[in-house]
């Protein structure tokens, strides 16, 4: 394992004022997002849309890296360069999603386990050859009646750790993503408990598989009330619960923590991150963003599959990335929402 190389890539991924753009939606997920806006999900439309994202002028001021899907890493941007080559040229580190999706966990109705370990060493080697320098694996944890179960937490934590060890062996920084889903009517206290148990198990397994913590990035979900909760916690409560949970479970030598947005609105996701930096607490790791929906929603709505809207969509992405970059330093305020994109 090249510890120095892993560490320097991980550091660059969570550099001050920057976050990671998640644009690794699988073809079915991309289809769902496109369909909601009346965009046809053809291979060429997916390429064109993602081309728009990575060719946004100046994006690397706020975006350190971007996570690609297998289809995209093999495609070219309009200037003829392969996506990872173009990204490297403009200062955005190319990453790749390597799990093969969350499947029903046998014996645990309603719960999932993420698959993709078989053949992973060979797939990683291919991605390294294409220029990818980091990877992502997402586990999903559901809160509900009797859920999450310890069986589900342990199975996902173990798979995450085996994936992370393989990624580091291949010289790529693993993003370890155990997402506690926002769906449901649970309270913030229930989310705290589920997230705490999950992160404890994940770091126990990572230690068990000898994963080098300064050479990884944790992609965490925020501690937040369920979307259908009758009494949803406010911004400062989410910030406080999330930071307390992380401080209690995430070792100080982890290189950085980047949040997913998980179904929060754009503004909420930004305000929560910003509030975490204004709690007056000393954080041992950089705390930043790795949003998909909360970065892409507006640009996708503006683009709608029409090339005439490309520049406006790119301006919206630039603006959102800038606000999240500010939030990652605690420098965001709501007034910035109204500044011209
Ligand atoms: P969202 O920000 O839309 O939750 O996506 C982040 C991600 O990468 C999910 O795996």
């Amino acid at each position: 394992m090249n510890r120095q190389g892993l560490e320097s890539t991980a550091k660059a991924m969570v550099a001050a004022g920057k976050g990671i753009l998640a644009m690794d939606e699988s073809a079915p997920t991309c289809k769902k997002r496109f369909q909601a806006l009346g965009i046809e999900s053809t291979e060429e439309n997916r390429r064109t849309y993602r081309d728009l994202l990575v060719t946004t002028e100046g994006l690397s001021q706020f975006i350190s890296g971007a996570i690609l899907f297998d289809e995209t890493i093999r495609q070219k941007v309009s200037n003829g360069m392969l996506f990872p080559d173009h990204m490297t040229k403009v200062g955005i580190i190319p990453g790749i999603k390597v799990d093969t999706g969350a499947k029903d966990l046998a014996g645990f109705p309603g719960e999932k386990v993420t698959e993709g370990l078989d053949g992973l060493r060979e797939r990683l080697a291919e991605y390294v050859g294409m220029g990818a320098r980091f990877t992502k694996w997402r586990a999903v944890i559901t809160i509900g009646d009797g859920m999450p179960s310890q069986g589900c937490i342990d199975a996902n934590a173990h798979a995450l750790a085996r994936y992370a060890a393989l990624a580091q062996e291949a010289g790529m920084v693993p993003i370890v993503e155990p997402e506690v889903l926002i769906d449901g009517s649970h309270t913030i206290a229930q989310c705290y408990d589920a997230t705490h148990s999950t992160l404890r198990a994940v770091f126990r397994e990572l230690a068990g598989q000898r994963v080098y913590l300064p050479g990884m990035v944790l992609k965490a979900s925020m501690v937040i009330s369920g979307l259908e909760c009758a009494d949803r916690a406010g911004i400062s409560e989410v910030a406080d619960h999330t930071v307390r949970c992380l401080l209690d479970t995430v070792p100080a030598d982890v290189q950085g923590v980047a949040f997913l947005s998980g179904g929060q609105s754009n503004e909420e996701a930004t305000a929560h991150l910003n509030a975490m930096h204004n709690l007056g607490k000393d954080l041992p790791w950089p705390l930043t963003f790795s949003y998909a929906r909360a970065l892409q929603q507006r640009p996708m709505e503006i683009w709608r599959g029409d090339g005439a809207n490309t520049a406006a969509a790119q301006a919206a992405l630039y603006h959102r990335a800038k606000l999240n970059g500010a939030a990652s330093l605690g420098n965001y305020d709501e007034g910035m929402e109204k500044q011209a994109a």
Side-chain angles (χ1 to χ4, degrees), residues 253-264:
D253 51 354
V254 167
Q255 194 59 249
V257 179
F259 291 104
L260 57 96
S261 59
Q264 300 178 46

Side-chain angles (χ1 to χ4, degrees), residues 30 46 168 196 236 292 299 335:
C30 191
R46 293 191 293 272
Q168 290 191 335
H196 196 279
S236 58

Side-chain angles (χ1 to χ4, degrees), residues 37-85:
L37 297 169
I39 306 164
E40 204 191 341
S41 187
T42 61
E43 189 178 332
E44 179 53 18
N45 267 348
R46 293 191 293 272
R47 191 209 63 76
T48 305
Y49 170 66
R50 286 158 167 165
D51 181 332
L52 172 165
L53 298 178
V54 302
T55 59
T56 297
E57 198 74 38
L59 194 64
S60 65
Q61 292 168 77
F62 319 111
I63 296 295
S64 57
I67 316 168
L68 304 174
F69 181 56
D70 180 76
E71 176 183 86
T72 318
I73 200 169
R74 301 170 193 281
Q75 291 175 324
K76 290 178 177 166
V77 295
S78 36
N79 65 16
M81 290 176 88
L82 286 158
F83 269 75
D85 296 341

